[in-house]
Amino acid sequence: MVVGGADGCRTGWVVCRRDANGTLDVRVVKTLAEACEGLSILAVDMPIGFVDVPRPPRICEVEARRLMPGKASSVFPTPCRPALACTTHAEANALSKTLGVGINQQTFHLFPKMREVDELLCSRPKLKRIVYEAHPELAFARMNGGKPVLSKKRQPDGYAERCKLLAKHGFPCPVDRLSGAARDDILDAIAVCRTALLITQKKATRLGPAKSRDSRGLPMNIWF
């Protein structure tokens, strides 16, 4: 059984694969469809499932922020589905405001990756059994005894702290540089790869109701 974790990067997706022997392989691929190939489970650091209006937000996001004191801002607000179709921040922000609340620039930058995940799962519904939404900082908090890791992963101390946690739990980081990806992208992919393994072992925690679905039938849960 091969499991994987994926995190978006500037040239596509960083994918960490773990085989049955525990060997990790980390590489950059162009599409999430490519990342899914040959995997039993893929945990991805990107929202799956979108509400039709921004308020109330997805239950899984609310629950995630409650578990992350001091780190709640790492759980980005997911846009509503109508705004996701917008091609400029101004357009998306204005539309979302008419429906309840605006969208920040940081969230808008993730729109292409969100649309990619959404279109893939809607066009290939069988992948809903393989692709799960995960969150690296929740994964690190679980590795850290339930306490959020408050150091910043892009700083040397935060990077080192997360590397130690990964190694402690059997996921030593095999590379710290990949063309087209930042090294914190690599950490996040490895972290959610561990979540994928926990899902296969039926040890992962699910946030949001088990039957929570959006208007297209996609699940709205975060796993860690």
Side-chain angles (χ1 to χ4, degrees):
M1 179 175 290
V2 182
V3 298
D7 184 57
C9 64
R10 61 183 178 272
T11 57
W13 299 85
V14 181
V15 182
C16 173
R17 294 170 180 251
R18 182 188 188 274
D19 66 19
N21 297 318
T23 303
L24 301 185
D25 175 77
V26 183
R27 63 184 65 184
V28 173
V29 299
K30 290 185 177 180
T31 67
L32 194 68
E34 186 180 349
C36 294
E37 293 176 4
L39 296 181
S40 300
I41 296 291
L42 176 69
V44 59
D45 176 22
M46 200 59 61
I48 296 173
F50 299 89
V51 290
D52 292 322
V53 293
R55 288 290 183 270
R58 301 187 308 162
I59 295 173
C60 58
E61 289 177 39
V62 175
E63 293 179 353
R65 293 187 187 101
R66 287 175 183 159
L67 293 174
M68 301 288 285
K71 203 77 176 180
S73 62
S74 69
V75 184
F76 292 163
T78 299
C80 60
R81 184 171 286 286
L84 190 64
C86 297
T87 56
T88 68
H89 175 248
E91 181 187 3
N93 189 43
L95 174 59
S96 190
K97 279 184 177 179
T98 67
L99 297 173
V101 63
I103 292 172
N104 62 37
Q105 190 77 47
Q106 192 172 19
T107 298
F108 177 74
H109 283 317
L110 297 174
F111 273 29
K113 288 288 193 292
M114 292 182 191
R115 285 194 289 261
E116 181 182 352
V117 177
D118 189 57
E119 290 165 7
L120 178 66
L121 294 181
C122 288
S123 64
R124 297 173 59 183
K126 289 184 179 179
L127 288 179
K128 288 188 284 187
R129 297 196 294 265
I130 294 174
V131 182
Y132 289 70
E133 179 180 346
H135 195 287
E137 289 304 319
L138 281 169
F140 283 120
R142 177 166 179 158
M143 291 181 236
N144 196 40
K147 299 177 182 178
V149 180
L150 299 180
S151 57
K152 296 181 178 180
K153 60 191 171 188
R154 293 185 180 180
Q155 299 297 323
D157 58 337
Y159 179 81
E161 185 175 4
R162 287 168 176 78
C163 281
K164 288 179 181 177
L165 284 170
L166 289 169
K168 179 181 177 181
H169 289 86
F171 283 76
C173 185
V175 294
D176 65 356
R177 288 288 187 274
L178 282 174
S179 178
R183 68 177 190 169
D184 55 289
D185 297 331
I186 296 170
L187 284 186
D188 287 349
I190 299 172
V192 295
C193 183
R194 180 174 185 262
T195 297
L197 179 63
L198 292 173
I199 291 170
T200 66
Q201 296 172 337
K202 301 189 185 302
K203 295 179 180 178
T205 297
R206 184 199 71 246
L207 300 181
K211 295 184 178 181
S212 182
R213 296 289 185 275
D214 74 357
S215 59
R216 293 191 178 181
L218 297 181
M220 293 190 288
N221 301 112
I222 298 175
W223 296 80
F224 69 98

